[in-house]
Amino acid sequence: MFAAKSYTSRHYIAIVAMACLCVLLGGPSYAAGAESLIIADATYYEPGVSGPGWAWTDADHLELNGYAGEAIGADGDLVLTLAGRNSVTESHAPDADITLCGMEVWGNLTLRGTGTLTATGSQCGIHVSRALVVDGCTVDARADGADITDEAVAGVIAGDMAVRGGGRVVAAGTGSVAGVRAYGVYLQDAGLGDGAAGCRLSVDASWLDAAGADGGVACTGGSLVSARFVAPAGGAFGADGVVDAGGALVPHVVVEPEGATPPAGETGGRDVPGGEAGEPSSDADPAAGEPTTEPTANPALKPAATTTKTSTTVTKTTVAKVSKPKAATATTAALPKTGDTNWIAASFTLLLLGLGHLGAAYRCWGVRHA
């Protein structure tokens, strides 16, 4: 009798252990981060990969150090750490997943680190469907408007934007075709449910230089913390963007930290030297006048480059969503993604084995006591 009880107890222990294993392994992973990454003409579905100048270390973390290549895209939230000089350029390949901007993130994007990033594209330099945060690094985002018609173009297109930690941002959009509206920063509600909480700009003890013929910054509101408008004089956040003292949307917006040393040639820091409205000179560079070991990452606006790509047709009332990362084709160097269904199947199998083991134990116990 004692032996039979001992035998059954051991099986109960085995069953409990299997059940615990099922609980640990059975549930799908809900870790935040990008579900896929497009970089260097390839699509990846799992982190732990790298290439020249880049490393995707975790689902939500990409590192760039000296990367210079075609567009980068991510489907989901991403934190991008910058070291050294980096640049991303719109891809002109006919089958490219990203064709209108240098960087595209369908989620939230945080740019941080000690390095710089230059992003260029025809419709936008950087596109973020939700919030863009520039934390301490230097970013130069530009859109040249090449072959874009009846759309808005901007250096940065995002849901919300925050510049903090001494970050420096130059954003510019240009366009010469009728119907094109050019902005430096364009914050829009991408239909993701952010509502009135979206489309806002905040600058905290940091620099921002945004220029576009139709508006330097287009947004529904914003705030400055330990920072001030250098241009326009008497600048403020209006219902449609940054406006001057008269309430008119201005083509050039410059923000700098309070107490920052004005660039050479400025006395009070309120007047920004340069050419015509919407075309900042190098003197208006947020980084000007400060010592650096590298050339500035915020050059003056360049003429729009000509390309041969074909523009897409969208409505005039809002900026069209640029192409979302899609599944890799047979020629894409993609890594296989482990599906949640595999975990569920494995857990169910373990559960069945455990139940079978328990049934066998009871049958054995019955035979011993028959």
Side-chain angles (χ1 to χ4, degrees):
M1 182 67 176
F2 178 81
K5 290 183 178 180
S6 177
Y7 179 84
T8 305
S9 299
R10 289 197 299 270
H11 282 76
Y12 277 132
I13 294 173
I15 297 304
V16 172
M18 288 183 180
C20 293
L21 188 60
C22 289
V23 172
L24 292 174
L25 298 180
S29 174
Y30 295 101
E35 295 183 2
S36 63
L37 177 74
I38 300 173
I39 187 170
D41 293 323
T43 302
Y44 301 93
Y45 293 97
E46 295 288 347
V49 292
S50 62
W54 65 274
W56 190 19
T57 57
D58 298 298
D60 63 347
H61 189 208
L62 175 66
E63 297 177 356
L64 295 185
N65 188 350
Y67 176 82
E70 293 190 344
I72 295 177
D75 189 3
D77 297 344
L78 187 67
V79 175
L80 176 54
T81 300
L82 301 170
R85 288 179 169 274
N86 305 276
S87 63
V88 289
T89 307
E90 171 186 338
S91 174
H92 296 285
D95 59 346
D97 290 304
I98 306 173
T99 58
L100 298 175
C101 58
M103 172 161 282
E104 176 183 343
V105 173
W106 288 86
N108 300 302
L109 173 63
T110 297
L111 300 173
R112 68 184 187 185
T114 59
T116 66
L117 175 67
T118 300
T120 57
S122 56
Q123 186 176 14
C124 54
I126 297 176
H127 175 276
V128 182
S129 66
R130 290 189 179 274
L132 169 64
V133 176
V134 178
D135 190 355
C137 55
T138 299
V139 176
D140 189 309
R142 299 173 187 267
D144 57 26
D147 293 330
I148 300 296
T149 58
D150 296 329
E151 298 178 17
V153 300
V156 172
I157 297 176
D160 292 286
M161 180 175 176
V163 188
R164 66 194 188 195
R168 300 169 181 269
V169 176
V170 168
T174 59
S176 58
V177 180
V180 171
R181 303 174 310 287
Y183 302 91
V185 173
Y186 190 102
L187 304 182
Q188 64 167 355
D189 182 1
L192 299 176
D194 293 334
C199 312
R200 298 181 63 83
L201 169 71
S202 66
V203 180
D204 185 350
S206 299
W207 286 261
L208 172 66
D209 188 322
D214 294 278
V217 175
C219 61
T220 61
S223 63
L224 302 182
V225 179
S226 300
R228 64 191 179 101
F229 285 112
V230 173
F237 289 102
D240 298 317
V242 176
V243 298
D244 59 19
L249 199 65
V250 294
H252 188 195
V253 176
V254 178
V255 178
E256 69 177 21
E258 292 179 349
T261 303
E266 293 189 34
T267 54
R270 300 295 296 177
D271 299 323
V272 178
E276 299 178 357
E279 296 183 1
S281 70
S282 58
D283 294 331
D285 187 342
E290 296 195 358
T292 178
T293 57
E294 297 181 352
T296 178
N298 301 328
L301 288 176
K302 299 179 181 178
T306 58
T307 64
T308 57
K309 70 181 226 24
T310 302
S311 174
T312 56
T313 302
V314 296
T315 62
K316 295 183 180 182
T317 57
T318 183
V319 176
K321 294 181 183 179
V322 289
S323 56
K324 185 175 181 179
K326 54 191 176 183
T329 61
T331 58
T332 302
L335 295 181
K337 183 176 181 180
T338 301
D340 293 336
T341 55
N342 293 338
W343 291 107
I344 296 173
S347 302
F348 186 70
T349 301
L350 287 174
L351 180 60
L352 290 179
L353 289 174
L355 292 175
H357 208 167
L358 180 60
Y362 274 114
R363 286 195 300 271
C364 181
W365 185 86
V367 170
R368 288 171 176 267
H369 292 80

